[in-house]
Amino acid sequence: MTSKINLPIIDALTVKNYDLYPGEKNRGITIEFKNGVTVLAGTNGIGKTTLLNLLLRMLVGPLNPAKQNQDIGRVSKRLLVSPSKFEYFKVRVSNPKKNATATISFRIGESALVVTRQINSMKLEKVVINRKQIEFQTEVAFIEHLARLSGLSSSYDFHIAVRFLQFFSEERLPILWSPGTQFEFFNILVFDTDLSSNIHSTFAEIQKYDTDQRNRHHQLQKRKENMPEPEPTELELAALDSTIEVMKLEFSEIDKKYNAKVKEHSETQSDIELLQKKIEEYEAKQHELEERFSVADAQYIAQSLPTMDSRLRFLMHGFGSGKGCFVCGTRVRKKAAEISKELRKGNCFVCHEPIKTARSGNIVPLSAKKIKQLEDNILSLQCSIEQYKVSLDERTSSAALSLSEISELASARLTLQRKIDILKAKRPKSDNESYSEAFGFIKSEELAIENLDRLKKEAVERYRLLVDKAQKEMDTMQEEIASGLKKYAESFLQEEICIKFTRNTPFKLATGAGKVNIPTFSIAMTSNTHPVPHDRKDGESVSESQKEFLDLAFRMALLDIICSDKASMLVIETPEASLDSWFMIKAAELMRKFAEKGSKSSRKLFATSNINGTRMIPALLGLIDETGEIRPLKESEKGHLVDLMKVTAGTAALKESDAKKFLEDELMRIAHVEA
Amino acid sequence: MSKRKPLRKSEIEPLLFVRWVLLLVSAAEAAGIDSLSRHRLHGLLFMSFASARFYKLTPLRFRAQRTPHGPYYSGAHIALGRLVLSGLVELIEFSPYPSHKDLQFEGSFRPTVHGLEVAANLRLTRTGQKIYRFLLDICLASVIATPEIVSSEGIDNRIFDKVLEQDLTYQHAIKRGESFLSLRDGDDILTPTEKCFLEIEKHFSEKYLQKPIRYSHENGNVQDQVAELAGASSPKFDEPSIFVNRRQTISAYQKILRKRIA
């Protein structure tokens, strides 16, 4: 198969002003990566993983997939996002220098790139492509360019391919054991651009329909739970409304009467108050007039009666005329003189007290007319008072009656109002969602959800058809993959391995979507208990180390197909983990097979390894001969072993001279340069 | 022009009593009552005060003393003295009354010409006229009920005095056993005499008239005195009226009293 993909091949890495990698005399480090296997040897905590991560981040930058922890086989939004801060390398030194930089030289196809980044943030400082400096506005733009150079569809594809295919690091993303991931890698690296794009977009579409459908279904269930009471039928509602209207009319009538009565009563009360005031006022006037009349009447009587003078004259006349005393009739003349004397003194001749006499002459007598006038005025007032009292009685009776009527009307009004309120309460409330509105919404939502389901199913069908096409493309490389995988796997496992390419693996496209069988490679393998190759569908069916290395073998086979006669690079972190001595050798053989020298194109494999007294490092470097003896490194091979103890800041253990000597001796023993 | 000397309250009541007595004496003369003795005069005064509200008059506030010789108004004595000394009333057959407590004198009272002139003057006011007509009605009713009192032939007309003694109010007051004779038990309560008048009126209207009694006098205003006095509902003014003299009521009353002494 001829691939158009060119993955990056690292040639060199230079680090300056970074305390983790000071180099000799703090001049920084430069590591050249030659074809074949390069071992980055070091002790625990010396910075092996950091160095591999540096190599990775120099290629892909600080960007990460939008959904980092998600299974890449199930990613619908294939986007890279820039973190607000990327301080992975900055925090690994106590005093990060602002001018700490790293420069990586690598190739993508025919393009030679030299990229310099600030280590503290991984920010691009300089990009030179084919000796031309190029400015990129954003990191994403740079990665997009790299993707184009690589022949990949997007910056996302470039990131995935480099990070999870080329770099077999701590993350150890399983490809062989995850059908979805496997298919995704084929999609990224193998399938036709259009097919790949369609598969991705259809998958995203299915995901979207599924997410929408599930969300809306959840919301719908909640709405159903909170659904209002069912409304009465239209007929019942009409009858209810009609009754309410009739009652409202009745109420309106009663209300009018009630208000009119209240007004009438109020006016009557006002009249009563006015009348009472009038009566009081007139009675006061009457009393005053009667007082005046009483005095005037008495004065009139007094002026009508003879005065004291006339009485005295009358009495004296009796004496003077010889008729004698008016009391006893005695005619005694001398008594007349005595009486006259008393009278002249102004005394009463009977009791001898001074007589008070009224001055006469100048006083105008009261006329009967004036008395009559007073009497008429009093009578008039009395009549008026009587009339007012009659009116008052009438008004009071009227007020009592109207009060009684008001009470009845108020009671009827209240009863009617209550009835109306009860009937109104039976109607659906206008301020809250009505049953019909809720029902309508639910129906429309159910329809929408059904539609989404239909669309999803259609998309799944389309996806199935796309997978059919994909299967055909994968078919073309079936043999190559199978042979490559077999080659690498058997060199490591020493078991008989059969590679199967089937479309039996159900792949759940979305939580609520159906499954589509996707074409996947699987292996069948013999074991001590299975003399005949037995299907190993998942990683649980093999040991951890077998799982890792079979996955590594699959990567190698995939890289072989993609890169074929082109350059290829694989970066592996501490491959000896969990391997016994024999399998270390076998693993090393596996890796050396990948980066075999003498290939037409550049094949590189970088591996970090612990200095742990094992033969992993010499095995990786190919220093173990047929007899099992370790030969020294040739001068020309010196570059394939990077002694990190010499270029890194070292660990606390290395500060102890004994430990350092011990480890250095260890390394020397297993990988020393030929003298 | 000089200012009129204001009358004190203590002077007003005696003046009113003087008018009442003068008008009573004049009315008795006009009615033809032959002899108005002191005893009769005081009796008539008592009956007039006991009946006054029937004519919508306010009786004077003088109370009669209870004496063995009938009701006695000391005010009347003063008034009579003044009237006699003023030459308005003539005292015939004068004799002092031998009583330690009372200021009395016996005799017959008649108005003089001057007295009649003064009485006529007093009748020029509505109140005066009203009082005179009331007193005249009593006197005329007495004449109707006891014709003997107009006899000038010396027939014993003590019957009238006995009739006066039978007055219901007087009898009621006597029975109370107090030294002063009260006319009524309360200000708003009718006297027994007034109640009897109303009963007589009611009897008239139910048995003879079949319609409510209405009076056509009293300043031209039509008033329902029965309803006002008795508190009964007012008659309908649109019904045709039957006019009955109150004098006839009083006369009927006195006839009843006369029958009691028979």
Side-chain angles (χ1 to χ4, degrees), chain A residues 293-294 297-306 311 314-315 326-327 362-364 366 368 371-372 375-376 379, chain B residues 1-2 4-5 7 12 15-16 18-19 82 84-88 94 114 118 121-122 124-127 219 221:
Chain A
F293 169 74
S294 173
D297 191 35
Q299 279 175 339
Y300 183 76
I301 296 168
Q303 80 185 20
S304 299
L305 296 172
R311 271 179 279 165
F314 177 75
L315 285 171
F326 76 95
V327 178
N362 290 340
I363 297 171
V364 175
L366 268 175
I371 303 294
K372 273 185 184 176
E375 286 169 328
D376 287 343
L379 201 63
Chain B
M1 191 104 39
S2 308
R4 196 182 315 279
K5 179 182 165 185
L7 284 173
I12 291 173
L15 284 167
L16 297 178
V18 166
R19 178 175 63 182
R82 183 168 178 173
V84 168
L85 287 174
S86 300
L88 302 181
F94 166 80
H114 191 200
V118 171
N121 197 37
L122 291 175
L124 289 176
T125 65
R126 296 198 199 282
T127 306
N219 303 317
N221 295 325

Short mmCIF file of all heavy atoms in Angstrom, two decimals, chain A residues 293-294 297-306 311 314-315 326-327 362-364 366 368 371-372 375-376 379, chain B residues 1-2 4-5 7 12 15-16 18-19 82 84-88 94 114 118 121-122 124-127 219 221:
data_model
loop_
_atom_site.label_atom_id
_atom_site.label_comp_id
_atom_site.label_asym_id
_atom_site.label_seq_id
_atom_site.Cartn_x
_atom_site.Cartn_y
_atom_site.Cartn_z
N PHE A 293 -89.05 85.86 75.42
CA PHE A 293 -90.49 86.01 75.50
C PHE A 293 -90.95 86.03 76.96
O PHE A 293 -91.83 86.83 77.34
CB PHE A 293 -91.19 84.86 74.75
CG PHE A 293 -92.66 84.80 75.00
CD1 PHE A 293 -93.51 85.72 74.43
CD2 PHE A 293 -93.19 83.86 75.88
CE1 PHE A 293 -94.87 85.70 74.71
CE2 PHE A 293 -94.55 83.84 76.15
CZ PHE A 293 -95.40 84.77 75.58
N SER A 294 -90.37 85.14 77.72
CA SER A 294 -90.76 85.07 79.14
C SER A 294 -90.55 86.41 79.81
O SER A 294 -91.44 86.92 80.52
CB SER A 294 -89.91 83.99 79.80
OG SER A 294 -90.13 83.98 81.17
N ASP A 297 -92.92 88.99 78.11
CA ASP A 297 -94.29 88.73 78.52
C ASP A 297 -94.54 89.28 79.93
O ASP A 297 -95.54 89.96 80.20
CB ASP A 297 -94.54 87.21 78.45
CG ASP A 297 -96.01 86.87 78.60
OD1 ASP A 297 -96.86 87.65 78.11
OD2 ASP A 297 -96.30 85.82 79.22
N ALA A 298 -93.58 88.98 80.79
CA ALA A 298 -93.70 89.47 82.17
C ALA A 298 -93.65 91.00 82.20
O ALA A 298 -94.41 91.64 82.94
CB ALA A 298 -92.60 88.88 83.03
N GLN A 299 -92.81 91.56 81.37
CA GLN A 299 -92.72 93.03 81.31
C GLN A 299 -94.03 93.63 80.80
O GLN A 299 -94.49 94.67 81.30
CB GLN A 299 -91.56 93.45 80.40
CG GLN A 299 -90.22 93.39 81.08
CD GLN A 299 -89.06 93.70 80.14
OE1 GLN A 299 -89.17 93.57 78.93
NE2 GLN A 299 -87.95 94.10 80.72
N TYR A 300 -94.59 92.93 79.83
CA TYR A 300 -95.87 93.41 79.29
C TYR A 300 -96.94 93.36 80.38
O TYR A 300 -97.77 94.28 80.51
CB TYR A 300 -96.26 92.55 78.08
CG TYR A 300 -97.52 92.99 77.40
CD1 TYR A 300 -97.54 94.12 76.59
CD2 TYR A 300 -98.72 92.29 77.62
CE1 TYR A 300 -98.71 94.55 75.98
CE2 TYR A 300 -99.89 92.72 77.02
CZ TYR A 300 -99.88 93.85 76.20
OH TYR A 300 -101.05 94.28 75.60
N ILE A 301 -96.93 92.25 81.13
CA ILE A 301 -97.91 92.13 82.23
C ILE A 301 -97.67 93.25 83.23
O ILE A 301 -98.62 93.93 83.69
CB ILE A 301 -97.80 90.75 82.91
CG1 ILE A 301 -98.18 89.62 81.92
CG2 ILE A 301 -98.70 90.70 84.13
CD1 ILE A 301 -97.84 88.23 82.42
N ALA A 302 -96.40 93.43 83.52
CA ALA A 302 -96.06 94.45 84.53
C ALA A 302 -96.50 95.83 84.10
O ALA A 302 -97.04 96.61 84.90
CB ALA A 302 -94.55 94.42 84.78
N GLN A 303 -96.26 96.14 82.82
CA GLN A 303 -96.62 97.48 82.36
C GLN A 303 -98.15 97.61 82.23
O GLN A 303 -98.68 98.71 82.21
CB GLN A 303 -95.92 97.82 81.04
CG GLN A 303 -96.56 97.23 79.81
CD GLN A 303 -95.76 97.50 78.53
OE1 GLN A 303 -94.58 97.80 78.54
NE2 GLN A 303 -96.45 97.39 77.40
N SER A 304 -98.81 96.42 82.07
CA SER A 304 -100.28 96.47 82.00
C SER A 304 -100.89 96.73 83.37
O SER A 304 -101.96 97.34 83.48
CB SER A 304 -100.82 95.15 81.44
OG SER A 304 -100.34 94.91 80.12
N LEU A 305 -100.20 96.21 84.37
CA LEU A 305 -100.74 96.36 85.72
C LEU A 305 -100.43 97.76 86.24
O LEU A 305 -99.46 98.38 85.83
CB LEU A 305 -100.11 95.31 86.64
CG LEU A 305 -100.42 93.85 86.32
CD1 LEU A 305 -99.58 92.93 87.18
CD2 LEU A 305 -101.91 93.58 86.53
N PRO A 306 -101.25 98.22 87.11
CA PRO A 306 -100.98 99.53 87.73
C PRO A 306 -99.65 99.50 88.45
O PRO A 306 -99.26 98.50 89.02
CB PRO A 306 -102.14 99.72 88.69
CG PRO A 306 -103.21 98.78 88.25
CD PRO A 306 -102.51 97.63 87.61
N ARG A 311 -101.05 102.33 92.71
CA ARG A 311 -101.62 101.57 93.81
C ARG A 311 -101.72 102.43 95.04
O ARG A 311 -102.70 102.40 95.77
CB ARG A 311 -100.75 100.34 94.10
CG ARG A 311 -101.17 99.14 93.29
CD ARG A 311 -100.30 97.97 93.57
NE ARG A 311 -99.06 98.05 92.82
CZ ARG A 311 -97.99 97.32 93.06
NH1 ARG A 311 -97.96 96.49 94.04
NH2 ARG A 311 -96.92 97.48 92.34
N PHE A 314 -104.38 104.77 94.71
CA PHE A 314 -105.65 104.06 94.93
C PHE A 314 -105.92 103.93 96.42
O PHE A 314 -107.05 104.18 96.91
CB PHE A 314 -105.58 102.68 94.28
CG PHE A 314 -106.79 101.82 94.51
CD1 PHE A 314 -107.98 102.07 93.82
CD2 PHE A 314 -106.77 100.79 95.45
CE1 PHE A 314 -109.10 101.29 94.05
CE2 PHE A 314 -107.92 100.03 95.67
CZ PHE A 314 -109.08 100.27 94.97
N LEU A 315 -104.85 103.58 97.12
CA LEU A 315 -105.01 103.42 98.55
C LEU A 315 -105.34 104.77 99.21
O LEU A 315 -106.27 104.90 100.03
CB LEU A 315 -103.71 102.86 99.17
CG LEU A 315 -103.44 101.39 98.95
CD1 LEU A 315 -102.03 101.02 99.43
CD2 LEU A 315 -104.46 100.52 99.66
N PHE A 326 -108.64 100.54 103.41
CA PHE A 326 -109.11 99.50 102.47
C PHE A 326 -109.18 98.17 103.16
O PHE A 326 -109.82 97.24 102.71
CB PHE A 326 -108.21 99.44 101.21
CG PHE A 326 -106.90 98.75 101.46
CD1 PHE A 326 -106.74 97.42 101.17
CD2 PHE A 326 -105.82 99.44 102.06
CE1 PHE A 326 -105.53 96.79 101.42
CE2 PHE A 326 -104.64 98.81 102.32
CZ PHE A 326 -104.47 97.48 102.00
N VAL A 327 -108.46 98.06 104.31
CA VAL A 327 -108.44 96.77 104.99
C VAL A 327 -109.61 96.64 105.96
O VAL A 327 -110.38 95.72 105.92
CB VAL A 327 -107.11 96.56 105.75
CG1 VAL A 327 -107.11 95.25 106.49
CG2 VAL A 327 -105.94 96.64 104.78
N ASN A 362 -90.22 107.88 80.70
CA ASN A 362 -89.35 107.86 79.54
C ASN A 362 -89.25 106.50 78.89
O ASN A 362 -88.62 106.37 77.86
CB ASN A 362 -87.94 108.33 79.93
CG ASN A 362 -87.93 109.81 80.24
OD1 ASN A 362 -88.83 110.53 79.83
ND2 ASN A 362 -86.95 110.27 81.00
N ILE A 363 -89.82 105.46 79.56
CA ILE A 363 -89.67 104.11 79.02
C ILE A 363 -90.77 103.88 78.00
O ILE A 363 -91.95 104.10 78.26
CB ILE A 363 -89.77 103.06 80.14
CG1 ILE A 363 -88.61 103.27 81.12
CG2 ILE A 363 -89.76 101.66 79.58
CD1 ILE A 363 -88.72 102.44 82.37
N VAL A 364 -90.34 103.39 76.86
CA VAL A 364 -91.31 103.08 75.81
C VAL A 364 -91.98 101.76 76.18
O VAL A 364 -91.32 100.77 76.38
CB VAL A 364 -90.59 102.94 74.44
CG1 VAL A 364 -91.56 102.48 73.36
CG2 VAL A 364 -89.94 104.26 74.06
N LEU A 366 -93.82 98.21 76.05
CA LEU A 366 -93.81 97.09 75.11
C LEU A 366 -95.18 96.98 74.49
O LEU A 366 -96.20 97.00 75.19
CB LEU A 366 -93.53 95.79 75.87
CG LEU A 366 -92.08 95.34 75.99
CD1 LEU A 366 -91.99 94.11 76.86
CD2 LEU A 366 -91.46 95.06 74.64
N ALA A 368 -98.17 95.04 72.43
CA ALA A 368 -98.69 93.67 72.28
C ALA A 368 -98.20 93.08 70.97
O ALA A 368 -97.96 91.88 70.83
CB ALA A 368 -100.21 93.69 72.36
N ILE A 371 -94.92 91.48 71.41
CA ILE A 371 -95.05 90.20 72.13
C ILE A 371 -95.56 89.15 71.16
O ILE A 371 -95.10 88.01 71.13
CB ILE A 371 -96.01 90.33 73.33
CG1 ILE A 371 -95.52 91.42 74.28
CG2 ILE A 371 -96.15 89.01 74.05
CD1 ILE A 371 -94.21 91.14 74.97
N LYS A 372 -96.55 89.58 70.37
CA LYS A 372 -97.11 88.64 69.38
C LYS A 372 -96.05 88.17 68.39
O LYS A 372 -96.03 87.02 67.96
CB LYS A 372 -98.24 89.31 68.61
CG LYS A 372 -99.59 89.20 69.26
CD LYS A 372 -100.65 89.79 68.36
CE LYS A 372 -102.00 89.77 69.06
NZ LYS A 372 -103.04 90.42 68.25
N GLU A 375 -94.09 85.65 69.98
CA GLU A 375 -94.87 84.42 70.06
C GLU A 375 -94.93 83.73 68.70
O GLU A 375 -94.81 82.50 68.60
CB GLU A 375 -96.30 84.72 70.53
CG GLU A 375 -96.37 85.03 72.02
CD GLU A 375 -97.72 85.58 72.42
OE1 GLU A 375 -98.37 86.26 71.60
OE2 GLU A 375 -98.11 85.33 73.58
N ASP A 376 -95.12 84.54 67.66
CA ASP A 376 -95.16 83.96 66.30
C ASP A 376 -93.84 83.33 65.95
O ASP A 376 -93.79 82.24 65.34
CB ASP A 376 -95.51 85.05 65.28
CG ASP A 376 -96.97 85.45 65.35
OD1 ASP A 376 -97.76 84.67 65.95
OD2 ASP A 376 -97.33 86.51 64.81
N LEU A 379 -93.60 80.11 67.72
CA LEU A 379 -94.48 79.11 67.11
C LEU A 379 -93.91 78.61 65.79
O LEU A 379 -93.98 77.41 65.48
CB LEU A 379 -95.85 79.74 66.88
CG LEU A 379 -96.99 78.76 66.72
CD1 LEU A 379 -97.18 77.95 68.00
CD2 LEU A 379 -98.29 79.50 66.38
N MET B 1 -84.11 108.29 75.67
CA MET B 1 -85.03 107.23 76.09
C MET B 1 -84.37 106.41 77.18
O MET B 1 -83.23 105.99 77.05
CB MET B 1 -85.33 106.33 74.88
CG MET B 1 -86.44 105.39 75.13
SD MET B 1 -87.99 105.81 74.39
CE MET B 1 -87.59 106.45 72.79
N SER B 2 -85.08 106.14 78.24
CA SER B 2 -84.48 105.38 79.33
C SER B 2 -84.54 103.91 79.01
O SER B 2 -85.42 103.44 78.27
CB SER B 2 -85.24 105.62 80.63
OG SER B 2 -85.36 107.00 80.89
N ARG B 4 -85.30 100.10 79.82
CA ARG B 4 -86.27 99.41 80.69
C ARG B 4 -85.51 98.65 81.75
O ARG B 4 -84.50 97.96 81.47
CB ARG B 4 -87.07 98.43 79.83
CG ARG B 4 -88.35 97.95 80.52
CD ARG B 4 -89.08 96.94 79.65
NE ARG B 4 -89.14 97.37 78.27
CZ ARG B 4 -90.02 98.24 77.81
NH1 ARG B 4 -90.92 98.78 78.58
NH2 ARG B 4 -89.99 98.63 76.53
N LYS B 5 -86.01 98.73 82.98
CA LYS B 5 -85.34 98.02 84.07
C LYS B 5 -85.56 96.53 83.87
O LYS B 5 -86.69 96.06 83.71
CB LYS B 5 -85.98 98.47 85.39
CG LYS B 5 -85.41 97.82 86.62
CD LYS B 5 -86.16 98.31 87.84
CE LYS B 5 -85.89 97.42 89.02
NZ LYS B 5 -86.69 97.80 90.17
N LEU B 7 -86.26 92.75 84.44
CA LEU B 7 -86.98 92.02 85.48
C LEU B 7 -86.14 90.86 85.95
O LEU B 7 -85.51 90.17 85.16
CB LEU B 7 -88.30 91.48 84.92
CG LEU B 7 -89.42 92.51 84.74
CD1 LEU B 7 -90.59 91.88 84.02
CD2 LEU B 7 -89.87 93.06 86.08
N ILE B 12 -90.75 87.48 87.62
CA ILE B 12 -91.49 87.05 86.44
C ILE B 12 -92.63 86.12 86.85
O ILE B 12 -93.79 86.31 86.43
CB ILE B 12 -90.56 86.36 85.43
CG1 ILE B 12 -89.60 87.41 84.83
CG2 ILE B 12 -91.34 85.67 84.34
CD1 ILE B 12 -88.53 86.85 83.93
N LEU B 15 -95.71 87.73 88.32
CA LEU B 15 -96.44 88.49 87.31
C LEU B 15 -97.29 87.57 86.47
O LEU B 15 -98.45 87.89 86.12
CB LEU B 15 -95.47 89.26 86.42
CG LEU B 15 -94.86 90.52 87.03
CD1 LEU B 15 -93.69 91.03 86.20
CD2 LEU B 15 -95.91 91.60 87.21
N LEU B 16 -96.75 86.40 86.14
CA LEU B 16 -97.52 85.43 85.36
C LEU B 16 -98.72 84.96 86.17
O LEU B 16 -99.81 84.73 85.61
CB LEU B 16 -96.62 84.24 84.97
CG LEU B 16 -95.41 84.56 84.05
CD1 LEU B 16 -94.58 83.30 83.78
CD2 LEU B 16 -95.86 85.16 82.74
N VAL B 18 -100.23 86.66 88.41
CA VAL B 18 -101.19 87.77 88.44
C VAL B 18 -102.05 87.74 87.21
O VAL B 18 -103.28 87.87 87.29
CB VAL B 18 -100.44 89.11 88.58
CG1 VAL B 18 -101.37 90.26 88.27
CG2 VAL B 18 -99.86 89.27 89.96
N ARG B 19 -101.39 87.51 86.06
CA ARG B 19 -102.16 87.46 84.81
C ARG B 19 -103.12 86.30 84.84
O ARG B 19 -104.30 86.44 84.46
CB ARG B 19 -101.22 87.31 83.63
CG ARG B 19 -101.97 87.21 82.30
CD ARG B 19 -101.05 87.19 81.10
NE ARG B 19 -100.17 86.04 81.09
CZ ARG B 19 -99.25 85.82 80.16
NH1 ARG B 19 -99.11 86.67 79.16
NH2 ARG B 19 -98.48 84.75 80.23
N ARG B 82 -102.50 92.11 95.19
CA ARG B 82 -102.00 93.13 94.28
C ARG B 82 -103.11 93.62 93.38
O ARG B 82 -103.25 94.82 93.10
CB ARG B 82 -100.87 92.53 93.46
CG ARG B 82 -100.24 93.55 92.52
CD ARG B 82 -98.97 93.02 91.94
NE ARG B 82 -98.42 94.01 91.02
CZ ARG B 82 -97.23 93.91 90.44
NH1 ARG B 82 -96.49 92.85 90.69
NH2 ARG B 82 -96.83 94.85 89.62
N VAL B 84 -106.30 93.46 93.92
CA VAL B 84 -107.28 94.24 94.70
C VAL B 84 -106.73 95.63 94.98
O VAL B 84 -107.43 96.64 94.79
CB VAL B 84 -107.65 93.49 96.00
CG1 VAL B 84 -108.42 94.41 96.94
CG2 VAL B 84 -108.47 92.26 95.68
N LEU B 85 -105.50 95.69 95.47
CA LEU B 85 -104.91 96.99 95.78
C LEU B 85 -104.72 97.85 94.54
O LEU B 85 -104.68 99.08 94.63
CB LEU B 85 -103.55 96.79 96.46
CG LEU B 85 -103.62 96.29 97.90
CD1 LEU B 85 -102.24 96.00 98.44
CD2 LEU B 85 -104.34 97.27 98.79
N SER B 86 -104.59 97.17 93.37
CA SER B 86 -104.45 97.94 92.13
C SER B 86 -105.80 98.39 91.60
O SER B 86 -105.89 99.12 90.62
CB SER B 86 -103.77 97.09 91.07
OG SER B 86 -102.49 96.69 91.51
N GLY B 87 -106.86 97.91 92.25
CA GLY B 87 -108.16 98.30 91.78
C GLY B 87 -108.63 97.53 90.57
O GLY B 87 -109.54 97.98 89.87
N LEU B 88 -108.03 96.40 90.34
CA LEU B 88 -108.41 95.61 89.15
C LEU B 88 -109.44 94.54 89.54
O LEU B 88 -110.21 94.11 88.70
CB LEU B 88 -107.17 94.93 88.55
CG LEU B 88 -106.04 95.86 88.13
CD1 LEU B 88 -104.89 95.06 87.51
CD2 LEU B 88 -106.53 96.90 87.14
N PHE B 94 -115.63 91.00 102.21
CA PHE B 94 -114.31 90.66 102.70
C PHE B 94 -114.38 90.23 104.16
O PHE B 94 -115.08 90.82 104.97
CB PHE B 94 -113.38 91.87 102.57
CG PHE B 94 -112.11 91.71 103.36
CD1 PHE B 94 -111.06 90.96 102.86
CD2 PHE B 94 -111.97 92.33 104.62
CE1 PHE B 94 -109.89 90.82 103.59
CE2 PHE B 94 -110.79 92.18 105.34
CZ PHE B 94 -109.73 91.44 104.83
N HIS B 114 -111.68 98.62 85.41
CA HIS B 114 -110.26 98.76 85.11
C HIS B 114 -109.61 97.40 84.96
O HIS B 114 -108.76 97.18 84.06
CB HIS B 114 -109.56 99.57 86.22
CG HIS B 114 -108.15 99.96 85.84
ND1 HIS B 114 -107.23 100.31 86.79
CD2 HIS B 114 -107.54 100.08 84.65
CE1 HIS B 114 -106.10 100.61 86.18
NE2 HIS B 114 -106.27 100.49 84.87
N VAL B 118 -107.65 95.99 81.82
CA VAL B 118 -106.29 95.41 81.88
C VAL B 118 -106.31 93.98 81.34
O VAL B 118 -105.40 93.56 80.60
CB VAL B 118 -105.75 95.44 83.33
CG1 VAL B 118 -104.45 94.64 83.44
CG2 VAL B 118 -105.51 96.87 83.79
N ASN B 121 -106.28 94.06 77.74
CA ASN B 121 -104.93 94.40 77.27
C ASN B 121 -104.03 93.17 77.27
O ASN B 121 -103.25 92.93 76.35
CB ASN B 121 -104.36 95.51 78.16
CG ASN B 121 -103.19 96.18 77.48
OD1 ASN B 121 -103.17 96.40 76.27
ND2 ASN B 121 -102.18 96.52 78.28
N LEU B 122 -104.20 92.41 78.36
CA LEU B 122 -103.37 91.21 78.47
C LEU B 122 -103.74 90.18 77.40
O LEU B 122 -102.90 89.38 76.97
CB LEU B 122 -103.53 90.57 79.85
CG LEU B 122 -102.92 91.39 81.01
CD1 LEU B 122 -103.25 90.74 82.34
CD2 LEU B 122 -101.41 91.54 80.86
N LEU B 124 -104.31 90.78 74.44
CA LEU B 124 -103.83 91.19 73.13
C LEU B 124 -102.66 90.33 72.65
O LEU B 124 -102.40 90.24 71.45
CB LEU B 124 -103.41 92.67 73.16
CG LEU B 124 -104.55 93.68 73.26
CD1 LEU B 124 -103.99 95.09 73.38
CD2 LEU B 124 -105.51 93.59 72.07
N THR B 125 -102.00 89.70 73.59
CA THR B 125 -100.92 88.78 73.17
C THR B 125 -101.53 87.41 72.93
O THR B 125 -102.61 87.09 73.46
CB THR B 125 -99.82 88.66 74.24
OG1 THR B 125 -100.38 88.03 75.41
CG2 THR B 125 -99.25 90.00 74.61
N ARG B 126 -100.88 86.60 72.15
CA ARG B 126 -101.40 85.26 71.81
C ARG B 126 -101.46 84.39 73.06
O ARG B 126 -102.41 83.65 73.27
CB ARG B 126 -100.54 84.59 70.76
CG ARG B 126 -100.54 85.29 69.44
CD ARG B 126 -100.04 84.36 68.31
NE ARG B 126 -99.63 85.16 67.16
CZ ARG B 126 -100.47 85.70 66.28
NH1 ARG B 126 -101.76 85.55 66.41
NH2 ARG B 126 -100.00 86.42 65.29
N THR B 127 -100.44 84.53 73.90
CA THR B 127 -100.41 83.74 75.13
C THR B 127 -101.56 84.13 76.04
O THR B 127 -102.25 83.28 76.60
CB THR B 127 -99.07 83.91 75.85
OG1 THR B 127 -98.02 83.62 74.96
CG2 THR B 127 -98.95 83.02 77.05
N ASN B 219 -104.69 79.30 66.48
CA ASN B 219 -103.94 80.09 65.51
C ASN B 219 -104.07 79.60 64.06
O ASN B 219 -103.19 79.80 63.24
CB ASN B 219 -102.45 80.12 65.87
CG ASN B 219 -102.22 80.66 67.24
OD1 ASN B 219 -102.84 81.65 67.62
ND2 ASN B 219 -101.36 80.02 67.99
N ASN B 221 -103.74 76.77 62.86
CA ASN B 221 -103.01 75.55 62.53
C ASN B 221 -103.79 74.33 63.00
O ASN B 221 -104.34 74.30 64.09
CB ASN B 221 -101.65 75.51 63.24
CG ASN B 221 -100.76 76.62 62.74
OD1 ASN B 221 -100.81 76.96 61.58
ND2 ASN B 221 -99.97 77.17 63.64
#
